[in-house]
């Protein structure tokens, strides 16, 4: 059950797949040096391994409870959270103006992976605070920012996102929570929100809810939704805490996993209305919320990476220790460690390869977000923004899909012991499952990719990304390294498949055949991720000099991914392109 | 949460994929007619839906408990079990001599699916009784058979299989449980067994343990293992129950799922030795146990089908009811049922297609078992036996893999509600996960397929199976039905891929490159299952006449499977053939 921060893998991805070396060279990150980043990640890794990781199992067995309408978190979590906040980890990317450290998103994402490997249920809380900070910093009034941002950035208070209602999940336009003008510039919010992560808890003295609601005179649908800040305790003008606000946690959900993370039904306005402050303009709340959601989507993708890494490490440790059966070279009277068996190796290699590929995609997305903010040239910023937009749904959906797949392989490596809860392998599986659902189901991510992202600038962003992948394939061919086996050929072929599927989808959308495009969306996202993942693993291997100690393992991983993981690329492209039409007809017949 | 027996799907598979029509025509099943089978399955379906299915959730929330070294099952289970046994369902295939009905295995497997859709945790108990009946009927002494078989066949007593020990899971040769000769023809067994399903319970008055143990003078390894019958209560010569035997349930495992099924640590001989009776010859126990295990493997495969069907029905029901968002044809002011969205349809189609394909493979295996016993011609019996042997690991591993995949898709269709335990979708996921592990992990099934099964009669059995698949492809081409789209071409191509991969593996094994073959075993099994699954779905569609009401849906399902599920066949074949060598080297570098 021990966990060690996989710093060599993380640094390789940062530098050579996510372009951190290049960004530093270009001066994008100011005077931040690679050594600084390594030092930060080293410290974060130690905290994750020594403080957070040991609490993960207790979060599962002794999860959040509701006592007298107040959520009590797992024993030890409050101390761990406070130590974490005191370490300055909550404000890594926040602006210096509010006490943050203004570090790149790339560093933040790497740290986020570490917290999530420590414990998904623990790490999801601050992720929502970060989303709140961003929305408030961009859209909040000066007063709101002054009163709330320093506390949110330090981690003294935590934030939440209150979107979902029973009838309004994926479709936020259906939400019913109401906000009335109080006449003094504040508002009164009334309604019920469900699935509110860390909606209540005892980690901090105050909780800052970001709430979507409708004004009485708001137009119907998406254009009538406003965003409000609703504190658990009213904050006095001097920053001190005042009265308890009219918002409570009504009940907690009994979930498959992440038991340490309280999932609340929140009731606003049982006593007449919760005092609320408008964030941004009236009826423009959805746009503000989307700011929060995009980064939250990347953060959830990183949860997939984090839990996959944890599951992999645990399975690897077990496979090295567990002895069972014999291999041709096993001495008489002994058993072999199960890691020696080809089928177990296949599982471990698959786990490692998928994890590293997903890590690369998430970090690449973060690096594009940095570039979108920091590049000196406006056109470069725009292009980077499009790249980040393109990659975000892939990072979210692929990483969480493989988080679950890797956790399931982890259970399998453990055999019968994997099914026993005390082993801990099953917890990773249960925990990982939520990430495929929340912050927009993975089906929604695929739809976002196909209907909104590949069409950006008439396909320029997606074609630029495919061109970058092809450049890697060309470099692979030129390098001609025996250790990379068929990697060059496989990447070139897979990039062709991706290109073909992309052109098909763009043409289908152009022709108004939206359903045909949507029917293949999930397979297209998987295809894109596999091709990008392979290109990133190849980028890492190609960056190694002849004498680099990690070269052999980087080559082995890229080669395994090429020869075993992306080998279905052509089939996926055919799935996207060939069968879309039949889906509607067939379903109509089958589910008539 | 309601469940209805999918009788039309089951009958279509029975008749046209598993050859029940042909078997009846040939007189293999005596005077049993298709109407009889339909009547039996109708009754079984009613029992499963009305009595078992409603108990499934309670089995999860209020699972088996250990009270004073005695296992207490979920409230209501005892009554349900007794009603089930009273209905004669336990003795379907058992010989008439012992009170059984001597029905075909094919009928038994269809019923087994229904019980497992009702509740996996409930249905696994009688599965072990059936294995015990078979071993005892073949290998037991006349006295043992007379005393035990009538009670086991009626279901008055249940059976268990006691194989695993902490150091002996996959590798039974390492087991240490000891049996001493008592001098009176009986034995005394001492030792600890783990993971014993229904090792203790309160459903029946006695429990009959089949236990593997070593005699003091036994040779080491597999050739020194004997099989013993150890009753919970000693059975007097007149059949009445005597003293409590020296075997107890020491503790219960806390598992990811199937909480209703007690998984016991069993201690034999705490008070000097449990009275035991030899089954078969001394030191030949493993052969007897393998008799039990092969059929148990098929039964576990059927668990995958059962849970997949249940998860599918629940997801379909939800997708029809849940309204969210809009489609182009949604009336103003309303929401669309989510089944109207292409991505949801894709998930539901995938669930249905995989379930029906796995069902076909399991039933085909059962039908081969029937033919191996009942065919008039010895050579036909031998060939059918080889077919059943070939298909058994595929039936077990593929069906349980897709059981889990389908249950996971079921969670996804439910969105956020899927992660809430009260919904019930997550229980299917947790329950389904065990079937990939027990009765030989799915990795072990793949190894069995590659190292033992495809080599039968120098490849004749596997080539005969591929030839049958190709005949279906030829019939598809000749039928030239528009509703089947690209099915003929896809099946022909996929059969080529399977043939190529098979030849590669046979050659690798021949050349002593066992590890190369083993590295691709899991992908090979998946490939085989997808190709066989498609052939079976096509067989069903081809059997429909022009006016058959189900023709359109059978065609749609086969077509969907061809155009979306088997589309990766070529990639899987390349995975099997191309990358085997790299696995060993790469793993050595990566996990050095």
């Amino acid at each position: 059950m021990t966990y060690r921060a996989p710093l060599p893998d993380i640094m390789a991805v940062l530098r050579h797949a996510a372009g951190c070396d290049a960004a530093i060279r270009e001066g994008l990150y100011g005077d931040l040096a690679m050594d600084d980043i390594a030092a930060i990640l080293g410290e974060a890794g130690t905290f994750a391994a020594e403080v957070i990781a040991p609490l993960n199992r207790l979060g599962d067995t002794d999860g959040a409870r509701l006592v007298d309408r107040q959520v009590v978190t797992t024993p030890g979590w409050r101390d761990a959270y406070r130590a974490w906040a005191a370490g300055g980890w909550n404000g890594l990317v926040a602006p210096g103006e509010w006490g943050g450290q203004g570090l790149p998103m790339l560093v933040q994402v790497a740290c986020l992976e570490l917290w999530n490997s420590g414990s998904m249920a623990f790490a999801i809380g601050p992720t929502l605070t970060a989303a709140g900070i961003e929305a408030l910093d961009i859209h909040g009034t000066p007063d709101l920012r002054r009163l709330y941002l320093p506390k949110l950035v330090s981690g003294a208070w935590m934030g939440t996102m209150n979107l979902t209602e029973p009838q309004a999940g994926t479709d936020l336009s259906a939400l019913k929570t109401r906000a009335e003008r109080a006449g003094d510039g504040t508002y009164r919010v009334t309604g019920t929100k469900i699935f509110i992560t860390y909606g209540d808890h005892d980690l901090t003295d105050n909780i800052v809810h970001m709430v979507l609601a409708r004004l009485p005179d708001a137009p119907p649908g998406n254009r009538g939704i406003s965003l409000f800040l609703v504190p658990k305790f009213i904050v006095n003008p001097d920053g001190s805490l005042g009265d308890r606000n009219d918002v409570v946690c009504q009940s907690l959900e009994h979930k498959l996993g992440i038991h340490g993370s309280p999932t609340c039904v929140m009731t606003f306005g049982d006593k007449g209305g919760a005092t609320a402050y408008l964030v941004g303009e009236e009826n423009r709340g959805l746009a503000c919320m989307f700011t929060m959601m995009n980064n939250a989507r990347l953060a959830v993708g990183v949860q997939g990476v984090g839990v996959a890494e944890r599951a992999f490490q645990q399975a690897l440790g077990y496979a090295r220790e567990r002895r069972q059966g014999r291999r041709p070279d096993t001495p008489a009277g002994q058993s072999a460690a199960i890691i020696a068996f080809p089928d177990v190796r296949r599982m471990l290699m698959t786990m490692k390869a998928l994890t590293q590929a997903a890590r690369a995609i998430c970090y690449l997305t973060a690096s594009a977000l940095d570039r979108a903010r920091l590049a000196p040239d406006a056109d470069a910023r725009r292009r980077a923004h499009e790249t980040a937009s393109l990659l975000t749904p892939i990072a979210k959906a692929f990483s969480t899909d493989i988080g679950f797949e890797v956790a399931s392989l982890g259970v399998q490596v453990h055999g019968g012991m994997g099914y026993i809860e005390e082993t801990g392998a099953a917890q990773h599986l249960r925990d990982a499952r939520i990430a495929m659902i929340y912050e927009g189901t993975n089906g929604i991510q695929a739809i976002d990719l196909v209907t909104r992202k590949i069409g950006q600038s008439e396909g320029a962003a997606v074609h630029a990304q495919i061109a970058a992948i092809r450049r890697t394939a060309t470099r692979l061919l030129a390098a001609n390294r025996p250790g990379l086996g068929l990697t060059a050929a496989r990447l070139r072929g897979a990039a062709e498949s991706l290109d073909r599927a992309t052109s098909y989808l763009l043409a289908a959308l152009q022709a108004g055949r939206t359903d045909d495009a949507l029917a293949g969306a999930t397979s297209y996202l998987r295809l894109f991720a596999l091709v990008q993942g392979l290109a990133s693993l190849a980028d890492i291997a190609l960056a190694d000099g002849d004498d680099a100690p990690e070269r052999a393992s980087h080559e082995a991983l890229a080669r395994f991914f090429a020869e075993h993981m992306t080998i279905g690329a052509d089939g996926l492209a055919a799935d996207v392109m060939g069968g879309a039409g039949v889906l509607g007809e067939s379903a109509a017949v089958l589910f008539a």
Side-chain angles (χ1 to χ4, degrees), chain A residues 4-133:
Chain A
R4 287 180 63 166
L7 297 176
D9 284 339
I10 286 179
M11 291 304 288
V13 165
L14 268 178
R15 294 183 57 191
H16 305 305
C20 194
D21 276 7
I24 287 174
R25 207 164 48 231
E26 294 171 38
L28 234 56
Y29 293 158
D31 55 5
L32 188 73
M34 192 54 73
D35 284 351
D36 302 328
I37 295 175
I40 293 168
L41 296 181
E43 271 190 68
T46 302
F47 192 93
E50 294 182 0
V51 181
I52 303 176
L55 294 172
N56 191 44
R57 173 122 176 86
L58 197 60
D60 191 53
T61 56
D62 197 356
R65 289 172 300 122
L66 188 63
V67 181
D68 295 338
R69 296 188 129 191
Q70 166 70 45
V71 174
V72 179
T73 57
T74 298
W77 280 39
R78 185 182 159 105
D79 288 346
Y81 175 78
R82 297 203 165 194
W84 180 83
W89 296 114
N90 194 58
L92 282 189
V93 287
E97 186 182 1
W98 309 116
Q101 299 183 49
L103 285 166
M105 184 62 80
L106 189 50
V107 176
Q108 159 72 358
V109 155
C111 290
L112 201 53
E113 177 195 323
L114 300 171
W115 318 139
N116 275 295
S117 287
S119 169
M120 265 184 74
F122 182 88
I124 188 66
T127 296
L128 297 160
T129 308
I133 290 171

Side-chain angles (χ1 to χ4, degrees), chain A residues 468-494:
Chain A
I469 290 166
R470 283 185 161 138
R471 282 196 297 278
T472 298
T474 304
R475 289 165 56 223
L476 279 169
L477 268 177
N480 193 24
R481 291 204 199 155
L484 283 165
L486 303 174
T487 307
R490 294 286 186 227
L491 181 57
R492 196 166 54 174

